[in-house]
Amino acid sequence: METRELTVVAGSFVSFQLLFSVASPLLSAVLTPAYGLLPANKLTEWNSRLVSTVHALVVGLFCLYILCFDDKVNADPVWGDPHLVKLNVAITCGYLVYDLVLLACNWSTMGDSFFVCHHLAALYAYGYVLTRGVLPYFANFRLISELSTPFVNQRWFFEMLKYPRSHRLVVLNGVAMAAVFFLVRIAVMPPYWASVFATFGTEAFDRLGVGAQVAWISSCIALDVLNTIWMYKIARGCYKVLTGAAGRRSKAEPPPAPPPPPPAQQDAVKSHAD
């Protein structure tokens, strides 16, 4: 790994730690008085999720820029010029190390084995990108998934702020979260794996060596399994919110007035009254 990448990883780690411990508490206290009323463990998770949102926006937007404008990477997905991709991956690696340290220090309240597996699998694969500069297109493509993170975190923020699940903002965010999560983590699987299979048997693939090949394929499988599990949970939660909101609206509506009797029945009632 070159000095530049090590510097970016270290700088990313320190920056996200400062954002967590200094910037987030100050900014959150100004934005919402409810922040100061949260218990200590929820304050920690609040700050963690704000950092997560910032990381997702920075890396996700940078990822889209590379996909749209880095012609060298798109032309050679296995051995293309990894200059910008390595920078983006280094930012993510610094964040992943920061988050693993945070989870370890707060395991009793924030520990999640799925997140640990996700982070370790990502670091394992991204290590080859940083040290050998291989697979830049595929590493960058994977970072598209970060674009769903802000919606996931916003759902948690709404919950902490005591927004009812039927609130319009909560419902809209839930639908957007499910849709974006599906688009950037599930719908991309077929084209991604089609690109992976297209490299099999090529000279570029053989040059990777067994170690890089195993790291690449195994980490992708692990990440996709985790994404599928999370998608199921998100879809189930979104369904409950939508059906619950619809049910509450139907209960709140007054029952419809009974239809008027047919003309023949009206005449009979009138003649009886006469």
Side-chain angles (χ1 to χ4, degrees), residues 56 60-61 63-64 67 118 126 138-152 176-192 223-224 227-228 230-231 234:
L61 294 176
C63 167
L64 291 179
L67 286 174
H118 174 275
Y126 288 151
F138 297 103
N140 190 67
F141 197 97
R142 276 288 171 185
L143 290 175
I144 296 176
S145 62
E146 291 299 328
L147 292 173
S148 66
T149 300
F151 299 98
V152 176
M177 177 182 69
V180 174
F181 194 99
F182 176 79
L183 288 174
V184 302
R185 293 179 184 254
I186 305 300
V188 297
M189 287 184 188
Y192 178 83
L223 292 173
D224 282 342
N227 285 331
T228 302
W230 285 331
M231 182 73 252
I234 289 174

Side-chain angles (χ1 to χ4, degrees), residues 78 86 88 101 144 158 183:
V78 180
K86 290 173 74 173
N88 208 19
V101 172
I144 296 176
F158 280 141
L183 288 174

Side-chain angles (χ1 to χ4, degrees), residues 148-159:
S148 66
T149 300
F151 299 98
V152 176
N153 290 335
Q154 187 58 50
R155 176 181 178 274
W156 188 88
F157 289 140
F158 280 141
E159 184 178 344

Side-chain angles (χ1 to χ4, degrees), residues 78-79 196 199-209 213 216-217:
V78 180
W79 293 95
V196 172
T199 67
F200 288 180
T202 64
E203 186 270 340
F205 180 82
D206 293 338
R207 283 174 56 197
L208 288 174
Q213 293 168 357
W216 175 25
I217 302 302

Side-chain angles (χ1 to χ4, degrees), residues 9-234:
V9 172
S12 173
F13 174 84
V14 172
S15 297
F16 287 124
Q17 182 59 52
L18 289 175
L19 180 59
F20 168 81
S21 58
V22 179
S24 177
L26 293 176
L27 181 62
S28 299
V30 171
L31 291 177
T32 172
Y35 170 80
L37 302 177
L38 296 174
N41 63 317
K42 296 301 181 183
L43 288 175
T44 300
E45 188 168 357
W46 178 291
N47 296 328
S48 170
R49 287 181 179 272
L50 191 146
V51 174
S52 172
T53 296
V54 172
H55 164 261
L57 292 174
V58 171
V59 171
L61 294 176
F62 195 10
C63 167
L64 291 179
Y65 173 82
I66 294 172
L67 286 174
C68 293
F69 300 107
D70 197 331
D71 296 332
K72 293 182 179 179
V73 168
N74 294 327
D76 186 357
V78 180
W79 293 95
D81 180 11
H83 183 76
L84 290 179
V85 174
K86 290 173 74 173
L87 178 60
N88 208 19
V89 167
I91 295 173
T92 294
C93 287
Y95 168 77
L96 293 175
V97 173
Y98 141 82
D99 205 38
L100 284 173
V101 172
L102 181 66
L103 289 173
C105 294
N106 299 274
W107 186 258
S108 61
T109 56
M110 296 178 59
D112 189 322
S113 58
F114 280 127
F115 276 109
V116 172
C117 292
H118 174 275
H119 288 8
L120 292 178
L123 284 171
Y124 177 52
Y126 288 151
Y128 278 91
V129 181
L130 294 179
T131 56
R132 295 182 55 189
V134 297
L135 304 167
Y137 173 84
F138 297 103
N140 190 67
F141 197 97
R142 276 288 171 185
L143 290 175
I144 296 176
S145 62
E146 291 299 328
L147 292 173
S148 66
T149 300
F151 299 98
V152 176
N153 290 335
Q154 187 58 50
R155 176 181 178 274
W156 188 88
F157 289 140
F158 280 141
E159 184 178 344
M160 291 300 102
L161 295 174
K162 306 301 182 182
Y163 276 64
R165 291 192 174 184
S166 58
H167 194 283
R168 184 177 182 182
L169 290 178
V170 177
V171 174
L172 289 176
N173 180 75
V175 174
M177 177 182 69
V180 174
F181 194 99
F182 176 79
L183 288 174
V184 302
R185 293 179 184 254
I186 305 300
V188 297
M189 287 184 188
Y192 178 83
W193 283 103
S195 299
V196 172
F197 294 144
T199 67
F200 288 180
T202 64
E203 186 270 340
F205 180 82
D206 293 338
R207 283 174 56 197
L208 288 174
V210 176
Q213 293 168 357
V214 171
W216 175 25
I217 302 302
S218 61
S219 62
C220 287
I221 293 174
L223 292 173
D224 282 342
V225 169
L226 291 173
N227 285 331
T228 302
I229 294 173
W230 285 331
M231 182 73 252
Y232 170 75
K233 293 182 178 180
I234 289 174

